[in-house]
Amino acid sequence: MNVSVRNAKDKTLVNLTKLAAESFSKNLFSPQLAKNISLKINFHYELGAGGYCDYEFGEPGPPREFTIDILKTRKKIKMFLVLAHEMVHVKQIAKGEMKDKYVRSKDEFVTKWFGVDYNEDVSYWDQPWELEAYGLEYSLVAKFLVEHNQFKNLRQKQADWFA
């Protein structure tokens, strides 16, 4: 996977972000898919949410170029939870599990989730792609912290994660 990080202002944050993205990708993508993914991670001081995932339309088939925008906060662990959450969305889109489509007759966008149409009437907390992303974010970060011994760098206590 090709990962670039912008606006981190801190070499340690850049390196940890790349390491975390690689770790998350190993848990979410096949090796073949991972090597075809291009990911830009941008940190922002102002953003309308904790994070966003966007993608570029290219060749036919699921997108392979993604941008993740993350709100920069004092708590690095929060940023890594957001990164994990958005990486789940990258997986969903790259594997074709989730697709956005425009329905001309209704003049609205519809999200297809495993072939089922969901419109904007579905509450954010009931959207199946969000349920999956929230369900996986803590376990992805916990696994990253353990495998790469990053508790100290992210100012976390291992006991707080595994009670």
Side-chain angles (χ1 to χ4, degrees):
M1 184 169 71
N2 180 22
V3 180
S4 66
V5 178
R6 294 186 183 174
N7 203 28
K9 307 267 188 207
D10 174 347
K11 192 168 182 90
T12 302
L13 181 57
V14 169
N15 292 336
L16 283 173
T17 300
K18 287 182 177 182
L19 186 64
E22 290 290 339
S23 174
F24 302 155
S25 75
K26 287 178 184 166
N27 290 289
L28 296 169
F29 312 138
S30 68
Q32 181 64 31
L33 179 57
K35 74 178 175 181
N36 290 305
I37 297 289
S38 177
L39 179 62
K40 294 176 188 170
I41 302 169
N42 301 317
F43 287 96
H44 301 270
Y45 289 99
E46 292 183 25
L47 200 61
Y52 293 105
C53 175
D54 200 7
Y55 54 91
E56 297 291 324
F57 290 101
E59 300 174 18
R64 296 293 182 252
E65 293 183 26
F66 296 86
T67 300
I68 292 177
D69 295 302
I70 299 173
L71 179 64
K72 194 166 186 192
T73 66
R74 295 180 123 214
K75 293 189 175 192
K76 287 182 182 174
I77 196 68
K78 175 65 179 157
M79 293 186 290
F80 285 93
L81 287 166
V82 170
L83 177 60
H85 180 102
E86 299 306 329
M87 288 284 295
V88 174
H89 292 319
V90 169
K91 184 266 306 181
Q92 294 164 344
I93 296 163
K95 287 186 172 183
E97 299 166 351
M98 180 172 70
K99 299 176 185 176
D100 290 324
K101 72 174 191 172
Y102 179 73
V103 180
R104 189 176 283 168
S105 63
K106 295 181 179 182
D107 191 32
E108 70 178 12
F109 279 93
V110 172
T111 299
K112 287 181 91 70
W113 175 253
F114 287 94
V116 177
D117 288 355
Y118 287 82
N119 62 20
E120 293 180 2
D121 294 336
V122 177
S123 160
Y124 175 83
W125 296 106
D126 292 329
Q127 295 170 344
W129 51 91
E130 293 299 340
L131 292 172
E132 181 182 34
Y134 280 107
L136 290 175
E137 65 184 32
Y138 274 90
S139 60
L140 287 167
V141 172
K143 190 170 183 184
F144 163 69
L145 291 172
V146 169
E147 288 180 347
H148 298 282
N149 195 22
Q150 291 302 313
F151 290 97
K152 185 176 181 180
N153 284 335
L154 295 178
R155 296 184 179 162
Q156 298 292 301
K157 294 180 182 171
Q158 189 164 350
D160 292 344
W161 281 80
F162 307 102

